[in-house]
Amino acid sequence: MFSWLSGNKKQRDVADVYNNVIDGLKQTYRKKLLPLERTYLFGDFHSPYMNDGDFNAKPMVLLIGQYSTGKTTFIRYLLEKDFPGIRIGPEPTTDRFMAIMHGPNEQVTPGNALAVDPTRQFGALQSFGNAFLSRFEASFLPNPVLESITLIDTPGILSGEKQRLHRGYDFEGVLGWFADRADMIILLFDAHKLDISDEFRRVINIIKKNQTKIRIVLNKADMITTQQLMRVYGALMWSLGKVLGTPEVTRVYIGSFWDQPLHHDENRKLFEDEQLDLFADIQSLPRTNAVRKLNEMIKRARLAKVQAFILSHLKGEMPSLFGKQSKKDALIESLDQVFNAIHKSRNIPVGDFPSVKVMREKLGEYDFTRFPKLQPHLLEIVDQMLAVDISHIMKMLPKEEDMIKDKRIRGGVFGQTDNDPFSTKRDLTKEDHPATEEGWIVAQDSARYDSVFEKLRPDFQGKVAGNIARQEMMKSKLPNSVLRRIWALSDIDKDGLLDRDEFAVAMFLIDHKLSGNDIPESLPERLIPPSKRMDFRRDHYPSGGSGGGGQESSASYGGRREDPAASYSGRGEESGSGGDSYSYRREDPGVDRTVTSSSQSYQGRGGRSMEAYDPDQYEGGLGNFVN
């Protein structure tokens, strides 16, 4: 008779079907989380209710700093062009919040129009009043960078209480609103102005709950010498440690983000590497946009549940008739004890509770007797959302990430190509990587590598042993783990020796790594010497390989076929044992050797016979680089 109960439960355990992750988050929020938030006044205490614009919004980068630290210049550096409404100067020039967004035409839209646009994510800013909206605007322009991200420029933070009062709106509250919705928060410091004013300290205290989003940039570092930079960096870390109050060391990016000549360029390589790391972090924002929104949704749901428990608990503690105000004051005063009681009774992690200080300030404005009672069915819906719907949406993430794995920010400062001479990173797998007519990218430096190879006195085969190559490779000062990977990639025929071409590949990979690039997992075909590609394809693709019929590969002795120091006598004569014999001559004085493959021995000068390479007995190869 109660079959309808089990039917409802089965229906609740089945997740809805969504087109994509963002669509799933929007529907899940509206149907299951928003009712709980509205019932327990989540928007009044924590964060305004979300609309479709919040979910559809592009990743947002928020820039914060004191005046004249280079926030607007940083944006111009990213875009590589001016935007409508830009003002740059040594004085506090930016007196408003400005959202730099993509649009078909260059125009400026005032804040009041943005706040009532349902397709934008700024509707909740109406709560800060007209005084703020008159100081907020959006700058639209057709720029490829803005197709992927939105940039938020902010007024410079000043010193003293007087400037804060004269702003006419809740400046710190607005920054907190943007910080909660930003995907990345960049705090800029000037190398000449490391002091953290009172207002700046308050701002950092508000946004530090979003610490995982914060990136710190020490700008204008080219204006000081290396010795001064070292001292400035230490002073900045000391100041930040006092404000952030965390034991973890905060990552600071050092650079000079403008398009003017560097005053002190001895740290150019450092600036380039730091810029590369920061821009790689920004580049990842479009690809991980859905993941971040999903994470924020989960955090919001957990906080909404805690909000429900807090308000219902406070209502339950209130008297029926007399002493309501005194009881309210007592509950606010002992709010930390209230949180602890809820933590123990509901088994809620302490980290899920909001700030006691903030809650005390906001609770004072409300009548606790009007708070709603606990409604278990709303909590059950949210629990089902976290257990079923969110789990279903998470399963969609890998497929969606595969679809956008090549999505990257293009244009502006991100518009560098992989083969331009000023790129700080080179990808050996790219087809547009510089190469010769043969398609061998090592050939451009082969003459330099050959001169080093000859100094190592290769043996009669035109090869150097592993222990000899090891000594040359160790001069790079790279770790043994890296050199072992380079050796494994360079020893193409896996004989524990390096011929001329293999040695050139090894040295090329070493130079590639020393230039700040990564070593590929496998050897790209454009890095394989032309003389070895037939054997390489036969070994790695047996079904489609060529070279049958006993044909000797040109890779066997010394590498490049065009080597004038070596000649082959052809296929050779049949030996008595059925093997092939080859006459190999190298233009060294007094050297004439005949190689007989069937006997697997090499006849050298004076009739001395040398056994062929045995990988189990040879001391070279990968063993040379064992830590």
Side-chain angles (χ1 to χ4, degrees):
M1 65 181 288
F2 295 105
S3 59
W4 60 275
L5 289 175
S6 60
N8 284 347
K9 183 180 186 302
K10 186 180 295 185
Q11 185 177 5
R12 289 196 302 268
D13 292 340
V14 177
D16 295 332
V17 178
Y18 310 113
N19 296 326
N20 52 56
V21 172
I22 299 299
D23 179 62
L25 292 176
K26 286 192 292 188
Q27 294 189 40
T28 302
Y29 175 77
R30 285 197 302 264
K31 294 178 181 178
K32 301 182 178 180
L33 182 55
L34 184 58
L36 179 69
E37 290 186 354
R38 291 193 182 279
T39 302
Y40 294 98
L41 310 177
F42 185 90
D44 296 339
F45 282 85
H46 303 290
S47 180
Y49 308 117
M50 302 176 70
N51 57 25
D52 288 353
D54 292 305
F55 291 99
N56 296 329
K58 299 172 184 175
M60 185 187 300
V61 179
L62 174 65
L63 289 94
I64 301 175
Q66 300 187 95
Y67 73 92
S68 194
T69 53
K71 298 184 297 297
T72 306
T73 305
F74 183 91
I75 294 175
R76 191 197 182 283
Y77 185 76
L78 293 182
L79 304 180
E80 291 189 342
K81 65 179 298 185
D82 292 341
F83 54 87
I86 185 174
R87 290 182 59 201
I88 298 176
E91 75 282 3
T93 51
T94 303
D95 61 347
R96 63 194 62 227
F97 284 79
M98 180 172 289
I100 297 89
M101 310 178 72
H102 183 268
N105 303 306
E106 293 192 2
Q107 65 179 45
V108 175
T109 302
N112 283 286
L114 291 171
V116 297
D117 186 349
T119 63
R120 305 291 179 187
Q121 66 268 42
F122 306 118
L125 288 174
Q126 297 181 74
S127 62
F128 294 101
N130 189 61
F132 163 71
L133 293 177
S134 63
R135 293 289 184 179
F136 174 52
E137 60 187 27
S139 176
F140 292 93
L141 70 157
N143 188 282
V145 175
L146 300 176
E147 293 179 0
S148 302
I149 59 175
T150 295
L151 303 169
I152 306 295
D153 195 8
T154 61
I157 298 174
L158 305 175
S159 302
E161 190 74 13
K162 181 178 179 181
Q163 288 85 349
R164 184 183 73 88
L165 294 176
H166 281 213
R167 291 187 189 271
Y169 60 91
D170 184 6
F171 174 71
E172 296 162 20
V174 172
L175 277 179
W177 184 92
F178 277 106
D180 290 341
R181 284 156 178 77
D183 295 85
M184 179 181 293
I185 304 169
I186 297 180
L187 289 181
L188 282 99
F189 289 86
D190 189 329
H192 290 94
K193 294 188 296 185
L194 297 181
D195 60 304
I196 298 178
S197 65
D198 295 339
E199 187 177 48
F200 201 4
R201 186 183 301 271
R202 289 192 295 269
V203 167
I204 293 177
N205 285 331
I206 289 175
I207 68 173
K208 70 180 181 181
K209 64 181 179 180
N210 300 292
Q211 192 166 358
T212 57
K213 305 177 183 178
I214 297 176
R215 307 292 184 270
I216 297 172
V217 173
L218 179 58
N219 199 16
K220 305 183 182 180
D222 68 309
M223 306 295 290
I224 55 179
T225 64
T226 303
Q227 184 183 29
Q228 293 170 335
L229 179 59
M230 179 183 66
R231 294 174 178 172
V232 166
Y233 180 83
L236 177 60
M237 296 298 290
W238 180 81
S239 299
L240 289 173
K242 293 178 63 179
V243 177
L244 293 176
T246 58
E248 295 85 3
V249 177
T250 304
R251 171 68 192 271
V252 176
Y253 297 92
I254 303 172
S256 184
F257 298 92
W258 66 340
D259 56 3
Q260 301 301 313
L262 301 177
H263 286 72
H264 298 278
D265 66 347
E266 62 264 28
N267 294 316
R268 174 188 289 270
K269 184 64 169 60
L270 171 65
F271 298 159
E272 290 176 351
D273 291 342
E274 293 287 286
Q275 174 177 297
L276 184 68
D277 290 346
L278 177 60
F279 289 173
D281 211 354
I282 298 176
Q283 278 277 19
S284 68
L285 295 180
R287 296 192 299 272
T288 58
N289 186 34
V291 178
R292 284 191 305 274
K293 283 184 167 60
L294 176 62
N295 184 57
E296 292 298 320
M297 177 89 154
I298 297 173
K299 290 169 56 178
R300 190 179 181 100
R302 294 168 67 96
L303 183 57
K305 288 179 60 181
V306 173
Q307 174 75 4
F309 289 128
I310 292 174
L311 296 194
S312 60
H313 181 89
L314 294 176
K315 178 181 179 62
E317 293 293 319
M318 293 298 291
S320 302
L321 296 176
F322 305 107
K324 293 181 180 180
Q325 184 60 43
S326 59
K327 183 61 176 179
K328 172 185 172 181
D329 296 339
L331 287 172
I332 293 177
E333 182 66 26
S334 61
L335 192 60
D336 53 341
Q337 299 177 19
V338 172
F339 284 7
N340 189 50
I342 298 174
H343 155 65
K344 292 180 178 179
S345 63
R346 300 291 181 177
N347 196 26
I348 299 175
V350 176
D352 287 356
F353 284 85
S355 167
V356 173
K357 181 180 178 181
V358 174
M359 287 295 289
R360 278 178 178 156
E361 294 175 355
K362 294 187 176 182
L363 284 171
E365 304 173 2
Y366 290 87
D367 181 0
F368 289 5
T369 61
R370 294 182 178 273
F371 286 159
K373 294 180 179 180
L374 193 64
Q375 300 184 28
H377 72 281
L378 292 177
L379 296 172
E380 183 182 353
I381 291 174
V382 173
D383 288 335
Q384 183 265 348
M385 178 195 79
L386 294 173
V388 179
D389 294 272
I390 295 297
S391 178
H392 175 68
I393 294 173
M394 290 179 66
K395 292 178 182 179
M396 300 169 60
L397 284 174
K399 182 178 180 181
E400 191 158 309
E401 289 176 354
D402 288 341
M403 295 173 59
I404 61 172
K405 62 182 179 180
D406 294 330
K407 186 175 182 180
R408 54 183 294 185
I409 303 175
R410 303 185 184 278
V413 75
F414 303 99
Q416 65 179 14
T417 60
D418 296 302
N419 61 343
D420 72 60
F422 300 100
S423 295
T424 53
K425 289 276 189 180
R426 304 172 72 192
D427 188 350
L428 295 175
T429 63
K430 296 293 185 181
E431 287 299 321
D432 56 358
H433 199 283
T436 62
E437 293 181 359
E438 292 179 328
W440 193 38
I441 59 180
V442 182
Q444 55 191 348
D445 299 312
S446 60
R448 177 163 57 91
Y449 301 144
D450 287 349
S451 65
V452 178
F453 181 78
E454 290 299 329
K455 292 178 182 178
L456 301 180
R457 300 179 65 83
D459 63 13
F460 72 93
Q461 292 178 267
K463 300 185 178 185
V464 295
N467 57 345
I468 297 176
R470 176 183 185 274
Q471 297 176 9
E472 185 65 31
M473 295 169 70
M474 291 288 286
K475 293 179 181 179
S476 66
K477 300 182 180 181
L478 289 172
N480 281 0
S481 58
V482 176
L483 293 177
R484 292 187 75 241
R485 290 181 57 197
I486 292 176
W487 174 274
L489 293 173
S490 306
D491 186 13
I492 299 173
D493 51 18
K494 306 303 178 188
D495 62 353
L497 308 170
L498 294 184
D499 63 24
R500 185 184 302 269
D501 288 348
E502 292 173 329
F503 181 81
V505 171
M507 300 307 293
F508 181 87
L509 288 173
I510 288 176
D511 289 345
H512 185 71
K513 180 63 177 177
L514 292 176
S515 298
N517 304 286
D518 296 326
I519 300 298
E521 294 294 330
S522 59
L523 200 63
E525 186 165 349
R526 290 161 62 83
L527 205 57
I528 301 171
S531 62
K532 296 183 180 293
R533 287 181 183 170
M534 183 180 297
D535 290 345
F536 183 85
R537 290 167 181 160
R538 184 177 63 242
D539 294 340
H540 290 75
Y541 313 103
S543 60
S546 59
Q551 186 86 16
E552 178 70 13
S553 169
S554 61
S556 298
Y557 305 104
R560 285 177 281 258
R561 190 164 201 153
E562 66 273 18
D563 183 7
S567 63
Y568 299 86
S569 65
R571 256 190 97 176
E573 303 172 355
E574 292 291 333
S575 66
S577 59
D580 291 340
S581 62
Y582 303 88
S583 175
Y584 171 73
R585 182 181 301 277
R586 184 179 178 88
E587 294 181 0
D588 288 341
V591 178
D592 190 356
R593 305 177 177 87
T594 300
V595 181
T596 305
S597 61
S598 61
S599 63
Q600 293 188 346
S601 64
Y602 305 88
Q603 190 70 28
R605 180 193 291 184
R608 185 165 66 91
S609 177
M610 293 169 285
E611 293 300 322
Y613 163 70
D614 183 354
D616 295 328
Q617 299 177 5
Y618 182 66
E619 297 179 355
L622 290 175
N624 285 299
F625 301 104
V626 175
N627 290 313

